Amino acid sequence: MIALMLHDHVSAWLAVDTLNPENPPFAERLYRIGRYCMWAFLGSAALCVAYAGGRFGWEKWNGGAMESPKQIVGAMIGAVFCVSASQIINAVTQ
């Protein structure tokens, strides 16, 4: 009997008062910072790969020490890390 009465009160309260979550006042600024970080990560990934490729071409053209293949591998690993981080940031902010 008490359980039935409690169930009726709870169901009536839930049917009348639906709670809609809303963002805190500073959330939009944090989302904007997150989006800037995402673009910074993507831009840094592209710049790292472009720099390592340019250095590889420069060393190949001038007959240098050929240390840039290690840099290209590092740049590719860094690019994968940066793109993954930007996608995580994008998933969190949406």
Side-chain angles (χ1 to χ4, degrees):
M1 181 76 168
I2 295 174
L4 181 61
M5 188 173 68
L6 182 63
H7 180 269
D8 288 339
H9 285 294
V10 169
S11 62
W13 179 74
L14 287 177
V16 172
D17 191 18
T18 57
L19 299 175
N20 294 328
E22 61 182 52
N23 290 331
F26 55 87
E28 186 58 38
R29 285 179 266 164
L30 291 177
Y31 290 150
R32 181 175 291 154
I33 290 171
R35 287 189 294 268
Y36 287 155
C37 289
M38 182 184 69
W39 282 109
F41 278 135
L42 288 174
S44 66
L47 286 175
C48 287
V49 172
Y51 173 75
R55 184 151 180 193
F56 179 73
W58 181 261
E59 287 180 358
K60 188 79 168 167
W61 183 267
N62 290 330
M66 293 303 291
E67 293 180 11
S68 60
K70 292 182 229 171
Q71 289 180 346
I72 289 177
V73 170
M76 289 296 187
I77 291 171
V80 168
F81 171 75
C82 289
V83 169
S84 300
S86 70
Q87 294 303 316
I88 290 170
I89 290 172
N90 191 24
V92 168
T93 58
Q94 293 204 7

